Amino acid sequence: MDTRQQLRSKLRRQRRALTPLQQKEASRRLLNQLGKIPAIQRVKHIAVYIDSDGEIGTQPIIEWCHRHNKRVYLPVLHPLSHNRLWFTQYTPSTPMKRNKYGILEPRKPYHRMLSAKRIDLVLMPLVGFDTNGGRLGMGGGYYDRTFSYLKKPGINKPRLIGLAHELQKVDTLPIEPWDIPLSAVATDKALHTYSS
């Protein structure tokens, strides 16, 4: 097992060990940390994920977005491009289904889709993050491939912010050339910002 896979296993075990009450409190505190980002008030199109596997809860964020007239988009596995994501608008009445990984996504992915380049802010899941804005995902590369165009000079939309429990922070991650850095990570305890 390589270093990244060992770290993934360890961090996933730690976040799954949190009790339902700890998870609920963490998701509430996460929303408070996100409130420290001035841009969140201005943006209109926000992509977020439905939490699973011990990920920090996103339901309070989704509810806040709907109350503040933000359009919420969920990632959907792209049916044609391997390991890439589409983003489909989500409302409380959107019919949902489980994808091949068991993750909830909109049942009709073609309905109200938005290109990744038109989203203002992406709140991304992660398994681990480090002090330099490095992100360790699940290993499929979906987000890295979808946002690989951000490595080109002068392109800065959307802003990528990771969401995590503070216990998912490590000093340094083994980073690969294809990894897309984050501009910030919001946790239940802090907002970590990074220079791009």
Side-chain angles (χ1 to χ4, degrees):
M1 193 182 291
D2 69 19
T3 306
R4 286 167 72 104
Q5 195 54 43
Q6 289 173 336
L7 191 54
R8 258 187 210 104
S9 296
K10 175 186 169 191
L11 293 172
R12 287 176 72 193
R13 272 194 312 274
Q14 287 177 337
R15 73 184 188 191
R16 282 194 303 251
L18 295 170
T19 67
L21 180 59
Q22 288 172 316
Q23 284 281 12
K24 184 176 180 181
E25 284 299 308
S27 65
R28 185 185 56 76
R29 288 193 305 265
L30 172 66
L31 181 59
N32 292 337
Q33 295 300 329
L34 281 173
K36 296 177 182 177
I37 303 171
I40 205 162
Q41 301 293 336
R42 296 188 303 269
V43 299
K44 292 289 180 208
H45 303 282
I46 299 176
V48 68
Y49 60 94
I50 301 288
D51 55 277
S52 65
D53 190 42
E55 293 168 333
I56 195 160
T58 56
Q59 192 59 38
I61 296 166
I62 293 169
E63 291 169 3
W64 180 91
C65 287
H66 286 140
R67 280 195 312 274
H68 290 85
N69 299 314
K70 313 288 183 188
R71 290 197 178 161
V72 175
Y73 297 84
L74 295 180
V76 176
L77 299 180
H78 197 295
L80 303 174
S81 297
H82 180 65
N83 287 22
R84 291 185 191 270
L85 300 170
W86 280 355
F87 293 90
T88 301
Q89 190 172 353
Y90 171 76
T91 67
S93 62
T94 300
M96 303 291 282
K97 66 173 183 165
R98 292 201 181 272
N99 66 22
K100 66 181 181 180
Y101 298 110
I103 298 169
L104 284 173
E105 62 180 35
R107 186 177 302 277
K108 297 180 181 177
Y110 310 107
H111 185 66
R112 297 184 180 178
M113 283 187 339
L114 192 66
S115 157
K117 294 178 181 179
R118 295 190 55 212
I119 293 172
D120 300 311
L121 181 65
V122 179
L123 304 176
M124 300 170 59
L126 54 83
V127 176
F129 69 100
D130 68 16
T131 56
N132 299 311
R135 173 185 175 270
L136 180 67
M138 288 294 292
Y142 286 90
Y143 282 92
D144 290 321
R145 285 184 187 87
T146 302
F147 295 106
S148 61
Y149 68 88
L150 288 172
K151 289 205 169 230
K152 295 178 183 170
I155 299 177
N156 57 8
K157 185 177 175 180
R159 185 173 179 194
L160 306 180
I161 298 175
L163 304 182
H165 296 283
E166 188 69 23
L167 60 79
Q168 294 172 249
K169 182 180 177 187
V170 297
D171 291 334
T172 57
L173 285 172
I175 299 300
E176 300 293 346
W178 56 82
D179 289 335
I180 304 295
L182 301 169
S183 62
V185 173
T187 74
D188 51 320
K189 298 198 172 152
L191 176 64
H192 305 274
T193 56
Y194 312 102
S195 58
S196 355

